[in-house]
Every structure is written in C-alpha cells, then in structure tokens.
Amino acid sequence: MERETFFADVILPLALPRVLTYRVPQILSEHIQVGQRVIVPIGKHKRYTGIVERIHTTVPSGYEARYVEDILDTQPLIYPLQLKFWRWIAEYYCCTVGEVMNAALPGGLKLSSETKFVLIEADFGAHQLNEKEVLLIESLQNNGALKVEEIATALQLKNPSKVLKSLMEKRIIAAEDEIKEKYKPRTADMLSLGSSTNTDAGLKEVFAALEKKKAQKQIDALMMFLQMSRYDEDQRGEVDRLKLQNASQTTASIIQNLIQKNIFQSRTVEIGRLPAHLLASENAKPLSEAQQTALVEIQEHFQTKDVVLLEGVTSSGKTEVYIHLIEQALIDQKQVLFLLPEIALTTQIIHRLRRHFGKRVGIYHSGYSDNERTEVWNKVLADSPGECDIILGARSSLFLPFTRLGLVIVDEEHEHSFKQHDPSPRYHARDAAIVLASAFKAKVLLGSATPAVETYWNAKKERFGLVQLTQRYGGVSLPEIHITDIRKELKGKSMQGNLSSELIQAMEASMAAGEQIILFQNRRGYSPIWQCHSCSWIPVCTRCDVSLTYHKNVHQLKCHYCGYSCDPPKGCNACGSTDLRMLGFGTEKIEEDIQLIFPEVTVQRMDLDTTRNKNSYQKIIQDFETGKIQILVGTQMVTKGLDFDNVSLVGILNADKMMNYPDYRSIERSYQLMMQVSGRAGRRGKQGKVIIQTFNPTHWLFDFVKRGDYQALYDHEIAERQHFGYPPYVRMIKITVKHKEEDKAERAAQEARKLLAEIVGPHVLGPEKPHIPRINNYYLQQLMVKQIRNTELKEKKAQIAQAMRDVLSMTEFKSAKISIDVDPI
C-alpha cells in the first residue's frame, strides 16, 4: 500500500506575499502538527525556522516543494486561534503573515542562521596551499567549525574572503548553516551535603579533619552552607553555589575541593529569569458607591455587549474596578490580558496587582530581555494553574498563546502608543484586542478619562456599552486650573528662565508645605534649535531635513529621527559669526532652570534619555513616591496614569506647541495630554493646582480644559470630522514612498497614485511631501486613501498591497521602499 505524502504550509519570518509549501518526510509525518516550529531550506544556502500553518496533501503548483528538515517542538508553540489572529492582522493592516510572525514571537523562540565553515576533505596533500590556507585548515581541524569573524581573527586578516574562496573552489571547505536556538534556560549549580556529611556523626568527623588540616576557608564555607540551608537531621536544604561562594567570601576552587572530598554534592537545575513573585498579601478594597454602581453597570452591559467603555475622570478609582472584574474572571477560571500603552505605567500597576494576585500576574513587554519574555511565553503556553493567569503588558502581549482568555482590559485606551508604527505590522493594539477577544468570546473593557473620539463615537452609536465615573475617589475635588499669559510675563520681564512668576510662586508654596511638583514639557533635550543671530543659519541633520537638538549633559547636537550626532559648532558655518543662540527649550533646560532658581531642591528628569535602562523607570518612580525627588520634569511619560500621593502642583510649560501641530487630531491630543497630566495633581485628600503656560490664553480649548468638559470637546471634534471627512466617518490608509533619490521618490509616488486611482477611484490624496520630507537619507512622499466607512475594504486592501508590490517590481524603483499604514494616527 502506497504511503500518503503530506505537505506543510510554513510561515517564514520574511515579508513574502504567500507562504511556501514544503514536503514532509515520511519519518516526520506522524509527528508534525500545526503550530510547531520547523527548520526549512530557502534559497541556495539558507535555512529558516518557520511555523506550520496547514498540513495537507495538495502538491504545490509552479515550484517543486523542498523537504522539511526537522521539527523543533514536541507540542505546538502557536494554537489555531492565534494563527487565525495573525492572518487577520496581515489582511487588515496590509502586511504579510511573515511580518506578523516576526512581531509576535519573542526573539528567544526565533532561531538565527549563522554561516560557518567546515572541512569537507581530509586529504589535501594534492593541493598547493599558501601559508594562510594551511593556517585556516589547522584552525578548522582544531575547532570543527568557525564563523567568518573567527576566521578573520585566526588569520589576522580584516577580510578573509580570498582565502575562503580559494579553499571552497578546491573543495577543501564548505559553508555550513548552523541553526542556533537563541533561548537557553538559565541554570544554577545547587549544592547539598554529600554522603560523608549526611549524618551528625559524619559532620563532626569532617569538621575535625578540616580543623586538623587548618583548612579555615573550607570550614567557613561549610558553616555558611549549614546556616543558609537551615540544616537539620530531617530536611537537608540546597544552596546556590555562587551565592554560597559570595556569602562565605571564598573562591570557586575551595567549593570545588569540598565537592571532590564528597563533603558537598552538586547538581545543575533550571531556574527562571523572572523575579520571584510574592504571595498575594491583601484583598480587593471595598468600592465606593460610585465605583460599585459602575461595576454593576459594566457587568450588565457585558450581558448584551462584548465591549464596554469606562469613562472615568482621573483619580476616580478605575483600577479598583478593574481588580474586581479580574477577580470574577479568575473565579470563572479565565485568563486576563491587561494592556497598558507604556512600560512606565507597568511599574505601579505591577505592585498593585501583585498585592492582590501574587504570582498569578505575569509581565510581558519590550523592557524585558528576550529570554525573560520567552519564559513568560512558555508559562502561558503551559497553562499552569495559578501561574500567569493575568498578563500585564504592552501591545506585543496580544500575541501570547492564550487558551482561556476571558477578559481584556485596555487602560488609557486613547493613547496613540498602542499603535505600532515601524516596522510592519502597523497594528493598533486596542482594535486588535477587540478582534482577539471575539475569537475567545471574551469581554473587553476600555478605560480612559479622555476617550479617543472614535471610541466614544462607537459608544454613542451603542456599538459599545458606556459607563461613566464622574467623581474622584474619596470625594477629592478636581484640580484648580490656571491659564498663564506668557506674553504678559515676557513684557513685564517677570519670567525666570522658562518659568512664569505665577508658576514659581506656586512651586514655592508647594515645597514649603512639603508637597511635590510635576512639570510637563513634551520635548527632550536642552534646546531644539541653535541659530546664528547674524544670518539665521541653523545646524541641521546631514541625513534628515530637521534641526539638531542640543543635549547639554553630553554636549552633543543630536537628531531625534536617525540618531546622528555631532559636536556643537564654534561658529556659524555660513557667515562665520560666533553669535550662536539657542531657541526653544526641552526637559534638560527646565531641569537646569529649576536648579538655578531652587538650588537646594532635588530634581529628576523622566524622558527617553533618562529611562533607557531596564529598571530606570522603576527607580525614578520609586524615588518620587518615597519623596527622594521633589520635582519631576518629564515628557508625556508623566501624563499616563501614574498615581502619586503627595503631588499638589502640575505645570504645563508649553501648551501652544501641542495645539498648533499640523494634524487633525492635535486638538483632541492636546486636551487629552492636558487633562491627563492635570490629573496627577491633588490625588489624596487635597485639591491640586495646575498652571498652563501659553501665548494664547483666550483659545477656546482652555475653557473645555478648565471645566473638564470632555463632552464639549467631543461635540466640537465630531462635527469637524464629519464636515471635513475624517475618522470615524471615513477609513484612511496612508502610503509612504521612500527613495534615496528625490526625483525617483516623486516618480514612484506618481506611479503608485495611478494604480491606486484604478482601485479606489478619486479617493486618493497626494502625493505630497510630509512635514519632514527626508529622514535617514530617504526622501519621502505620502499618499492618503479615504473611503466611506461602510465601504467594504477587505478586497481593496489586498489590491492596494499588490499594486504597491507592482510599483516596487518596476526596474526604476527596485531600491524604493513603500509602507502601508491602515488607520494611521
């Protein structure tokens, strides 16, 4: 009887329009499963690790299927629901499923292909070899296989390609692709008492022998072991070898001597990289009457709707409502996904949730290493009871292999940080979470004090449930908001640096009362522009069409788009004048101003420059919570859901820049930022104060901010968007064309426009240069597709993606790049 031949469609981490089909060898046919990782060849020499998407018996047409080489997993790494979710993201956001795979899997589960060279002929006496070739052969004989950089070091050559080519042509060596798994479990050597010391009598004999030999260091190590292992006759403990070595102040050789004498015995065990979780130490707090009403309303909405928006003013206690909902989900034996827009927010929420739920909380975001994220992935995959039932993370946590997902909470749902920009897939975590939840028949709660206009529109249309929390917890009043006229202050020469006299007086009063202050300036660095006072020359990035920002702490001019940096000029490059002046200010300049005005005060910045390290967010927040920092100066990181007991004053130092940004969402975002940062003031028993500095104090938006009137803001914005044709009334797709030659970027964009017009008709805007027309030596052109909301876009999106591939296939535009951004923000 002839055996049936199976084929596997394999997703590769490459931007391929279609998946490739591979033949499954008979030896693997009984073991291969959908969702497993497999090693497959592609091209002449490369091998990749892919995910099996489908197993079938259909022979692929158009090419001969190559063989699957190996299976890496005994059980699936991805479940069918996740694969379906990957497909939805690829189709909706106009990308390839391979790009989704790249975003979905932590680096520890993706394997790297590294080219190595090995000997393939043992007898090479017939060949004429030079000195370098002989040296390479000897190195390969000693080491088995070497990478190119290792060969270069061994031969003391910068480029060993000629030697490699010669030996490959002589068929003495060959390139070998070695698949190497990045994830390695963390291990530790654990020590326990050996057979000679496992009784009291044995221990006495060992101590006597060591004392006789005057081996004091070995005695110290043994004594420390007994102390650390809490030794008793009935239960012998184990001690980490490295920890014992450090605690007893001994060396590795002393510990090794004790092992060789059978005083200790050693074994290697796998340990986790994740921090040890404390047991849950407190129950959920009783809810206020308003919170209890909101909880009941949410549960009632969940009876008929899958998505509910909780609109709660800042400090209304939304997190406590979340905790009660999570408790119910856990009682129902469901998993919970708690999405946050920023890593900075996780620090405080982690502590709050772990106090309630202990080790049931798992953390997953880019601040963790690849190996740490891989461990969380494996814990969710294993679905161990009572472990990682609650996942707290940023947008990438959507891709974890859930099996019992019952509740998704999206906190601060209005935040644009939920949108992935580069690289593809350019998905929005809030919207994708709703789709993921629907696959599990799970419920979604969106929380915000200032909801996105689109979200509120969906609630008003009764697509989502709407629950409102209008009172601050504990009856605390909303902060008192003052608008300060900077023009008047400058005219009266009452400004000190970039701080108004009103703000300085309020700061003095707060500090005198022992209270803390937050100052918000949404620009990092010291000064965004240096300018020649004589001819107005400005130093700009050599690779981007932007001015360079001065960073005083490193005395460098830096580009915030491509990373280019240089020393500040000593004079004008145009006219030679040395009269260079700084315009504008960033967080560094504010920090310096405060130190000059209040030299005794402790100030800390919280921006991208000060939070690059893994635990830097946590340290700054902890120091501020414990009062070590009196004034916190930050970018929008300080606006997002942080809860500090002792903050009585918030200063917004430049409201105009936000409001005048050329984007249809600028007013909505300005309102959200001002209300969110204002909400940090007066959160515990006392009304706070907010001072907003502006050159335009009569702007109508400030009336909405002072009243905290989100409804008025929404009414204004929704009317404008309906009139001018913006979301939620239309769907938008932004297409960006890039090329290193400006004229080719323009021609490629025109070609793209022609093809788009054939698909969507006249609903194409552009091409035109964006706000910044060149980034990292690529000239940019943008097109915008607008379609009425009810239009079926699924087929058109596939056609748009193919049209852009057609543009890139043209000889003239081979080196161009095109990105597609669905629902841009």
Side-chain angles (χ1 to χ4, degrees):
M1 181 179 173
E2 191 175 333
R3 290 184 178 180
E4 195 170 23
T5 301
F6 290 100
F7 295 88
D9 293 343
V10 177
I11 301 170
L12 297 173
L14 303 169
L16 302 175
R18 292 187 294 273
V19 296
L20 290 173
T21 300
Y22 289 86
R23 187 169 181 171
V24 182
Q26 293 291 342
I27 195 170
L28 299 179
S29 61
E30 292 183 5
H31 305 285
I32 195 165
Q33 300 177 59
V34 169
Q36 286 177 323
R37 291 177 300 166
V38 292
I39 298 173
V40 294
I42 184 170
K44 289 185 178 179
H45 304 294
K46 291 290 181 184
R47 288 180 290 170
Y48 279 91
T49 298
I51 297 287
V52 177
E53 184 180 29
R54 190 169 73 97
I55 300 168
H56 55 88
T57 57
T58 306
V59 179
S61 60
Y63 63 95
E64 184 177 348
R66 300 169 77 176
Y67 279 95
V68 171
E69 294 187 358
D70 203 358
I71 301 171
L72 292 177
D73 307 302
T74 55
Q75 297 296 325
L77 190 75
I78 303 291
Y79 296 120
L81 275 178
Q82 272 83 35
L83 288 172
K84 186 179 178 183
F85 181 55
W86 287 13
R87 274 289 169 193
W88 176 84
I89 287 182
E91 290 172 3
Y92 186 86
Y93 290 103
C94 286
C95 63
T96 66
V97 71
E99 290 170 312
V100 179
M101 174 186 169
N102 249 338
L105 292 183
L109 296 177
K110 291 181 281 192
L111 307 187
S112 59
S113 182
E114 298 178 354
T115 302
K116 287 193 173 185
F117 289 87
V118 294
L119 283 171
I120 57 173
E121 185 178 326
D123 182 15
F124 30 82
H127 300 283
Q128 286 189 340
L129 304 173
N130 62 33
E131 182 183 349
K132 294 293 185 185
E133 289 172 345
V134 171
L135 182 58
L136 174 55
I137 289 169
E138 289 174 351
S139 296
L140 290 172
Q141 284 176 323
N142 293 331
N143 295 284
L146 290 172
K147 290 187 283 189
V148 175
E149 59 265 34
E150 293 169 336
I151 290 170
T153 302
L155 302 184
Q156 296 183 337
L157 291 174
K158 188 174 182 180
N159 184 0
S161 57
K162 287 185 179 179
V163 179
L164 293 170
K165 183 179 179 184
S166 173
L167 290 177
M168 289 176 74
E169 288 174 349
K170 293 170 183 174
R171 301 294 299 156
I172 294 174
I173 67 171
E176 175 194 77
D177 269 357
E178 176 181 277
I179 298 291
K180 185 177 86 174
E181 187 157 7
K182 291 182 180 178
Y183 171 66
K184 291 181 179 178
R186 176 178 282 181
T187 59
D189 291 334
M190 303 301 293
L191 300 176
S192 58
L193 293 177
S195 57
S196 64
T197 50
N198 62 2
T199 63
D200 285 343
L203 264 178
K204 288 177 182 177
E205 288 180 16
V206 166
F207 273 119
L210 292 175
E211 285 172 358
K212 189 174 182 180
K213 293 180 180 179
K214 297 182 178 179
Q216 188 59 45
K217 288 288 186 182
Q218 293 183 27
I219 293 172
D220 290 345
L222 182 54
M223 289 292 291
M224 181 57 69
F225 173 88
L226 295 176
Q227 182 180 332
M228 293 175 70
S229 66
R230 295 191 178 94
Y231 169 77
D232 63 60
E233 188 81 33
D234 301 318
Q235 186 174 354
R236 316 281 186 191
E238 285 188 315
V239 175
D240 185 297
R241 176 174 176 164
L242 189 59
K243 289 180 180 177
L244 175 62
Q245 187 177 312
N246 293 334
S248 59
Q249 297 182 344
T250 52
T251 62
S253 61
I254 288 172
I255 303 295
Q256 188 61 36
N257 284 336
L258 291 169
I259 294 172
Q260 289 171 353
K261 292 175 181 176
N262 203 24
I263 294 172
F264 289 154
Q265 59 185 16
S266 175
R267 70 185 184 104
T268 301
V269 298
E270 183 178 332
I271 59 172
R273 288 180 172 80
L274 305 178
H277 302 316
L278 298 173
L279 293 175
S281 59
E282 63 180 49
N283 297 321
K285 295 177 182 176
L287 298 179
S288 68
E289 185 179 342
Q291 287 173 322
Q292 184 62 41
T293 301
L295 177 64
V296 171
E297 288 180 7
I298 291 167
Q299 292 168 333
E300 287 174 352
H301 277 302
F302 277 158
Q303 300 298 317
T304 56
K305 288 183 168 59
D306 293 329
V307 184
V308 175
L309 168 63
L310 174 60
E311 181 199 355
V313 297
T314 55
S315 196
S316 58
K318 294 187 289 293
T319 304
E320 288 301 325
V321 177
Y322 298 158
I323 287 170
H324 280 74
L325 288 167
I326 291 170
E327 282 185 339
Q328 185 57 53
L330 295 180
I331 290 170
D332 296 337
Q333 296 188 330
K334 296 292 185 180
Q335 293 166 315
V336 178
L337 174 59
F338 195 129
L339 284 175
L340 291 163
E342 291 279 0
I343 299 170
L345 280 180
T346 63
T347 301
Q348 286 192 322
I349 296 291
I350 286 168
H351 295 311
R352 292 185 70 174
L353 292 187
R354 282 196 174 148
R355 285 201 302 268
H356 291 288
F357 303 110
K359 68 178 183 178
R360 302 188 82 163
V361 180
I363 318 300
Y364 191 86
H365 57 61
S366 59
Y368 274 27
S369 68
D370 277 337
N371 283 328
E372 286 172 323
R373 287 195 287 165
T374 299
E375 287 196 14
V376 174
W377 181 288
N378 289 334
K379 283 180 181 292
V380 176
L381 185 69
D383 196 13
S384 303
E387 216 171 343
C388 286
D389 294 319
I390 306 162
I391 293 296
L392 181 66
R395 56 179 179 259
S396 58
S397 55
L398 280 170
F399 297 109
L400 285 166
F402 298 105
T403 53
R404 302 176 284 109
L405 189 62
L407 175 66
V408 178
I409 297 170
V410 185
D411 196 23
E412 310 293 351
E413 66 81 27
H414 64 278
E415 279 292 340
H416 65 268
S417 306
F418 278 125
K419 173 73 170 177
Q420 164 78 7
H421 293 288
D422 280 308
S424 189
R426 296 172 180 86
Y427 64 99
H428 197 299
R430 177 198 61 213
D431 301 340
I434 293 172
V435 174
L436 177 68
S438 69
F440 286 92
K441 295 183 171 53
K443 302 299 181 182
V444 180
L445 182 66
L446 309 177
S448 177
T450 54
V453 167
E454 291 91 335
T455 303
Y456 202 72
W457 182 80
N458 276 313
K460 287 291 187 180
K461 294 287 183 182
E462 297 188 355
R463 293 186 175 96
F464 300 166
L466 176 60
V467 177
Q468 294 173 311
L469 256 176
T470 58
Q471 300 173 13
R472 280 188 150 193
Y473 185 79
V476 179
S477 300
L478 288 167
E480 178 187 357
I481 298 177
H482 292 252
I483 311 298
T484 299
D485 188 347
I486 297 299
R487 289 176 303 179
K488 189 183 292 184
E489 292 264 351
L490 288 170
K491 207 174 203 180
K493 297 184 179 179
S494 56
M495 295 281 288
Q496 292 190 50
N498 296 285
L499 307 179
S500 65
S501 59
E502 183 180 6
L503 179 56
I504 289 171
Q505 290 168 13
M507 291 171 70
E508 289 172 342
S510 290
M511 288 185 289
E515 295 162 348
Q516 292 170 298
I517 301 161
I518 291 176
L519 299 181
F520 169 60
Q521 166 61 3
N522 205 21
R523 182 189 288 275
R524 63 190 173 97
Y526 188 87
S527 174
I529 297 173
W530 274 32
Q531 187 178 59
C532 173
H533 193 58
S534 301
C535 72
S536 298
W537 171 81
I538 295 172
V540 295
C541 178
T542 59
R543 302 194 289 245
C544 309
D545 289 338
V546 293
S547 62
L548 295 170
T549 299
Y550 178 55
H551 288 250
K552 190 173 183 179
N553 63 326
V554 291
H555 193 53
Q556 288 271 294
L557 290 173
K558 293 186 177 184
C559 175
H560 289 176
Y561 287 86
C562 72
Y564 169 80
S565 63
C566 65
D567 292 330
K570 292 183 172 60
C572 174
N573 284 2
C575 72
S577 170
T578 57
D579 189 5
L580 299 179
R581 301 186 182 183
M582 298 183 197
L583 304 178
F585 59 95
T587 50
E588 275 187 35
K589 180 68 169 69
I590 298 302
E591 183 181 29
E592 182 181 89
D593 287 347
I594 294 167
Q595 288 168 342
L596 289 172
I597 300 167
F598 305 109
E600 304 300 320
V601 170
T602 308
V603 187
Q604 175 65 52
R605 279 185 296 121
M606 184 169 162
D607 56 25
L608 185 62
D609 297 323
T610 61
T611 56
R612 293 184 188 275
N613 297 329
K614 178 179 175 181
N615 296 314
S616 50
Y617 286 110
Q618 187 170 350
K619 185 174 187 328
I620 292 171
I621 289 169
Q622 284 180 348
D623 286 350
F624 196 60
E625 283 180 323
T626 55
K628 293 179 182 177
I629 299 167
Q630 292 167 279
I631 301 176
L632 184 64
V633 180
T635 57
Q636 60 181 341
M637 290 179 184
V638 302
T639 70
K640 299 173 181 179
L642 297 172
D643 185 3
F644 301 114
D645 292 355
N646 197 37
V647 174
S648 64
L649 176 66
V650 167
I652 299 174
L653 304 181
N654 187 357
D656 303 303
K657 184 178 178 293
M658 299 184 290
M659 293 159 55
N660 296 321
Y661 190 78
D663 187 280
Y664 76 94
R665 296 181 189 270
S666 60
I667 291 295
E668 176 193 8
R669 285 183 181 160
S670 297
Y671 178 86
Q672 288 167 341
L673 279 170
M674 284 189 275
M675 292 306 298
Q676 289 288 338
V677 74
S678 298
R680 304 314 111 210
R683 296 172 69 87
R684 287 291 184 273
K686 179 182 176 182
Q687 185 181 27
K689 188 174 186 179
V690 180
I691 294 176
I692 301 174
Q693 298 186 165
T694 176
F695 285 92
N696 187 11
T698 59
H699 195 289
W700 53 265
L701 180 60
F702 293 128
D703 289 334
F704 297 167
V705 173
K706 288 171 76 173
R707 300 198 310 266
D709 195 346
Y710 175 79
Q711 185 65 50
L713 180 279
Y714 170 79
D715 291 340
H716 179 275
E717 286 295 289
I718 206 70
E720 290 240 320
R721 295 189 189 190
Q722 185 172 23
H723 181 71
F724 292 107
Y726 283 102
Y729 294 100
V730 300
R731 296 279 193 191
M732 294 172 65
I733 302 174
K734 182 173 74 176
I735 294 160
T736 304
V737 181
K738 306 178 184 179
H739 202 287
K740 290 194 173 182
E741 297 176 38
E742 188 173 11
D743 61 329
K744 286 189 177 179
E746 291 173 357
R747 291 202 298 275
Q750 289 292 348
E751 195 63 44
R753 192 194 194 291
K754 289 178 188 175
L755 297 179
L756 288 171
E758 293 175 7
I759 300 168
V760 298
H763 305 290
V764 184
L765 303 178
E768 62 181 7
K769 292 180 181 179
H771 182 54
I772 299 172
R774 182 174 63 106
I775 296 178
N776 208 9
N777 283 329
Y778 278 93
Y779 292 92
L780 310 183
Q781 291 280 321
Q782 284 184 349
L783 302 106
M784 192 72 75
V785 175
K786 279 186 169 184
Q787 289 280 279
I788 297 170
R789 191 175 181 88
N790 295 329
T791 306
E792 179 53 56
L793 272 178
K794 186 176 180 180
E795 289 183 11
K796 289 186 178 180
K797 283 179 186 173
Q799 292 170 7
I800 288 170
Q802 183 57 51
M804 297 306 100
R805 287 193 288 269
D806 292 343
V807 172
L808 294 176
S809 68
M810 298 177 186
T811 305
E812 185 181 6
F813 308 129
K814 287 283 187 185
S815 55
K817 296 181 179 181
I818 298 179
S819 64
I820 303 173
D821 189 359
V822 177
D823 300 337
I825 62 171

